Amino acid sequence: MHIGLSESDYPEIRNVALFSEVADEQFRRLLRGAYVQNFPPMIELVTEGDQSDFLHIIVSGSVELYSSWNNRETSIATIRPISTFILAATVKDAQYLMSARTLEKSRIILIPSQDVRAVFDEDYHFARAIVTELARCYRSSVKSHKNLKLRTSLERLANYLLRQQTYHNGRSDFDLDLEKKRLASLLGMTPENLSRAFKGLQAYGVLVNGNRISITNSDDLIGFAKPDPLIDDFNT
Amino acid sequence: MHIGLSESDYPEIRNVALFSEVADEQFRRLLRGAYVQNFPPMIELVTEGDQSDFLHIIVSGSVELYSSWNNRETSIATIRPISTFILAATVKDAQYLMSARTLEKSRIILIPSQDVRAVFDEDYHFARAIVTELARCYRSSVKSHKNLKLRTSLERLANYLLRQQTYHNGRSDFDLDLEKKRLASLLGMTPENLSRAFKGLQAYGVLVNGNRISITNSDDLIGFAKPDPLIDDFNT
DNA sequence: CCATTGGCTTGATAAATGTCAAGCGCCCAA
DNA sequence: TTGGGCGCTTGACATTTATCAAGCCAATGG
């Protein structure tokens, strides 16, 4: 199951922002102890509460970060290539705060956490990249917090759709890349409520047909959703 | 209003975890451009959307981080000495995502963001400390996210009270260190609802008298609140 | 092919939370 | 001293959201 990385994988990993500036020697050291694995869908990669052994990098597929308490479960984020996840636990050498599972067949690189910390200590560019990535994750968590506390579920859905539309280059039609029940959990509501919320957005020109979304009147939807770069932009 | 730092302030600042390991030369450089100011209560120190000019360190008093959207406002955290805030915007050279205001008369040190970034580039220990602090902030934001999505308002209040009790060394009586309306906002509810939530916790041995809280039966309250280190511990 | 499963939707209902209005009590400044 | 403002509480009510039960439909596997 565990397969060492081959040199042919290296260029791809170099493309991950975290590693693009690392000195060659340190880069090789990072990958020397690394594994790459292909996972089927719905495999639990990480369990909250466990000690952080590996930094994970998703190369293809998709991964859901989620968390449980008292028999309830909530989706916290979906991760798509190419990206790392659970970096904070790795740098702090602490317990995972979230669990992670594959949603589809996914290819994941695992780098031993201790190697990440060691290279952090030796390579300035890597340290800089880690700080940038951590700051990005932190800020994105704060945005998510604002989204949850300042908006109703209908507003969260409306803004989610607008973000998806942007992601699809502004097309008026696009497919949801997530099961609706997971989207509901991500947005902090029940699947039943999500169904009703989609109905509620018909009044603002949103048509739903299975996974297909059509936004017939962007201005109308924007008028309702009031998107805000300090909540909805992933890059600020 | 702006007052340069004097050398007598240095030892105090050294105690901030972020600076404890910085080389002396870099430490002096950081503080050379810094200011210290005393602010009255309810002064807006930082406005969301503004560019990050200074890293803030609170030396005494208390500061509320909050955010607004569409005429709604929510409290996100309260910061107490000695601690920094809004570090992520500083290291990313980005816009503030939250506003900050003093709650009481507070003493704040302001270090130009560019100096922070410059010293980060030169001093390894400082870089390490920034990463640790960022990871801590990120993880605390994730905990807060879990708290909001996995728990009802009554459960959030119950766990808040248990955390406060721990902070007060487990005493059965202690004072809230926050106005109730701010606590309500922090916990994601209205002041009216907080009043009723306190009533609802009477059944688990919580007595409220003004700002005074008495927890007459910790086990009972713990049984209801089900505190979880992965949500409620600040140090993991 | 059929039966089963799981995701999704819908309606009815319940629970949680918010809103509005009123009143109490405390603090502070005129 | 007193009047107003503000924080807090309470009650009545509205809205939002969740829960439960049933049914539809598409995908899947025997």
Side-chain angles (χ1 to χ4, degrees):
Chain A
M1 187 120 171
H2 286 246
I3 304 166
L5 278 175
S6 76
E7 300 250 341
S8 65
D9 294 315
Y10 285 20
E12 187 171 35
I13 302 170
R14 269 288 187 192
N15 282 331
V16 182
L18 202 55
F19 302 113
S20 61
E21 304 286 330
V22 184
D24 230 56
E25 181 194 334
Q26 311 300 344
F27 182 64
R28 284 169 184 283
R29 163 156 182 203
L30 266 177
L31 296 192
R32 204 170 303 140
Y35 296 103
V36 60
Q37 286 186 253
N38 288 307
F39 293 95
M42 298 305 287
I43 295 295
E44 186 163 303
L45 301 172
V46 156
T47 305
E48 60 180 319
D50 283 2
Q51 206 63 24
S52 162
D53 295 323
F54 295 97
L55 174 65
H56 293 65
I57 304 170
I58 173 169
V59 177
S60 73
S62 57
V63 168
E64 177 181 33
L65 302 185
Y66 66 100
S67 187
S68 305
W69 177 81
N70 194 26
N71 260 340
R72 299 168 211 169
E73 180 182 310
T74 190
S75 186
I76 295 179
T78 35
I79 310 287
R80 294 174 189 285
I82 297 178
S83 175
T84 64
F85 57 91
I86 325 217
L87 178 58
T90 290
V91 306
K92 284 209 77 167
D93 194 9
Q95 287 176 299
Y96 295 121
L97 292 181
M98 301 180 271
S99 300
R101 67 163 81 92
T102 54
L103 290 179
E104 335 162 36
K105 190 166 166 306
S106 301
R107 190 169 168 81
I108 311 278
I109 296 169
L110 302 119
I111 303 180
S113 293
Q114 60 193 45
D115 293 346
V116 173
R117 290 191 292 271
V119 172
F120 176 93
D121 289 353
E122 292 170 5
D123 187 295
Y124 160 71
H125 289 105
F126 187 56
R128 194 82 183 88
I130 283 192
V131 164
T132 302
E133 173 71 0
L134 268 181
R136 194 191 59 73
C137 291
Y138 174 34
R139 286 168 67 87
S140 127
S141 178
V142 168
K143 288 172 196 162
S144 180
H145 189 120
K146 290 166 65 173
N147 193 35
L148 265 176
K149 279 178 87 180
L150 289 167
R151 290 173 170 162
T152 66
S153 61
L154 202 58
E155 290 165 341
R156 293 197 295 274
L157 175 60
N159 280 291
Y160 177 85
L161 293 178
L162 288 171
R163 291 195 302 265
Q164 283 298 111
Q165 188 181 35
T166 301
Y167 177 77
H168 289 98
N169 302 310
R171 294 185 44 111
S172 65
D173 296 62
F174 55 86
D175 284 330
L176 293 175
D177 53 7
L178 214 56
E179 281 180 300
K180 285 184 185 169
K181 68 172 183 173
R182 285 179 212 289
L183 175 57
S185 180
L186 194 64
L187 294 176
M189 50 187 174
T190 57
E192 293 97 327
N193 230 320
L194 178 62
S195 262
R196 292 172 187 126
F198 273 124
K199 287 242 160 110
L201 290 183
Q202 281 181 9
Y204 302 97
V206 175
L207 295 180
V208 184
N209 199 307
N211 269 353
R212 190 94 191 145
I213 305 291
S214 305
I215 296 180
T216 62
N217 186 340
S218 277
D219 290 345
D220 225 13
L221 187 57
I222 290 172
F224 170 73
K226 300 186 177 58
D228 180 335
L230 298 180
I231 302 180
D232 301 293
D233 276 14
F234 288 128
N235 299 316
T236 62
Chain B
M1 190 123 167
H2 285 248
I3 303 167
L5 278 176
S6 74
E7 300 249 340
S8 65
D9 294 314
Y10 286 20
E12 189 170 32
I13 303 169
R14 268 289 188 193
N15 281 332
V16 182
L18 202 54
F19 303 113
S20 61
E21 302 287 327
V22 184
D24 230 56
E25 182 193 335
Q26 311 299 344
F27 181 65
R28 285 168 183 280
R29 163 156 181 200
L30 267 177
L31 296 193
R32 205 170 303 140
Y35 294 102
V36 60
Q37 288 186 251
N38 288 306
F39 293 95
M42 297 306 285
I43 295 293
E44 186 164 301
L45 300 172
V46 156
T47 306
E48 60 179 319
D50 283 2
Q51 205 63 24
S52 163
D53 295 323
F54 295 96
L55 174 64
H56 293 65
I57 304 168
I58 173 170
V59 177
S60 73
S62 57
V63 167
E64 178 182 31
L65 300 184
Y66 65 100
S67 186
S68 304
W69 177 81
N70 194 27
N71 260 342
R72 299 168 212 168
E73 181 182 309
T74 190
S75 187
I76 295 179
T78 34
I79 310 287
R80 293 173 190 285
I82 295 179
S83 174
T84 64
F85 56 91
I86 325 218
L87 178 58
T90 290
V91 307
K92 284 208 80 168
D93 194 9
Q95 290 175 297
Y96 295 120
L97 291 181
M98 301 180 270
S99 300
R101 68 162 79 94
T102 52
L103 290 179
E104 339 161 34
K105 190 165 167 308
S106 300
R107 189 170 169 83
I108 312 280
I109 295 169
L110 301 120
I111 303 180
S113 292
Q114 59 192 47
D115 293 346
V116 172
R117 290 190 293 270
V119 171
F120 176 93
D121 290 353
E122 293 170 4
D123 186 294
Y124 160 71
H125 288 104
F126 188 54
R128 195 82 183 86
I130 282 191
V131 164
T132 302
E133 173 71 0
L134 268 180
R136 195 191 56 76
C137 290
Y138 173 35
R139 286 167 67 86
S140 126
S141 180
V142 168
K143 287 171 197 163
S144 179
H145 188 121
K146 291 166 64 174
N147 193 35
L148 265 175
K149 278 178 89 181
L150 290 167
R151 288 174 172 163
T152 66
S153 60
L154 202 59
E155 289 165 342
R156 293 197 294 276
L157 176 60
N159 280 290
Y160 176 85
L161 292 179
L162 288 172
R163 291 196 301 268
Q164 284 298 110
Q165 188 180 36
T166 301
Y167 177 77
H168 291 287
N169 302 310
R171 294 185 45 111
S172 64
D173 297 63
F174 55 85
D175 284 328
L176 294 174
D177 52 8
L178 214 55
E179 280 179 299
K180 285 184 183 169
K181 67 170 186 177
R182 287 180 208 289
L183 175 58
S185 179
L186 193 65
L187 294 176
M189 50 182 160
T190 56
E192 293 96 326
N193 230 321
L194 178 62
S195 264
R196 292 173 187 125
F198 273 124
K199 286 243 163 109
L201 290 184
Q202 280 180 11
Y204 302 98
V206 175
L207 296 181
V208 183
N209 199 306
N211 269 353
R212 192 93 193 147
I213 306 291
S214 304
I215 296 179
T216 61
N217 187 338
S218 277
D219 289 345
D220 224 11
L221 187 57
I222 289 172
F224 170 73
K226 299 184 177 60
D228 179 337
L230 297 180
I231 302 179
D232 302 294
D233 274 14
F234 288 127
N235 300 316
T236 62

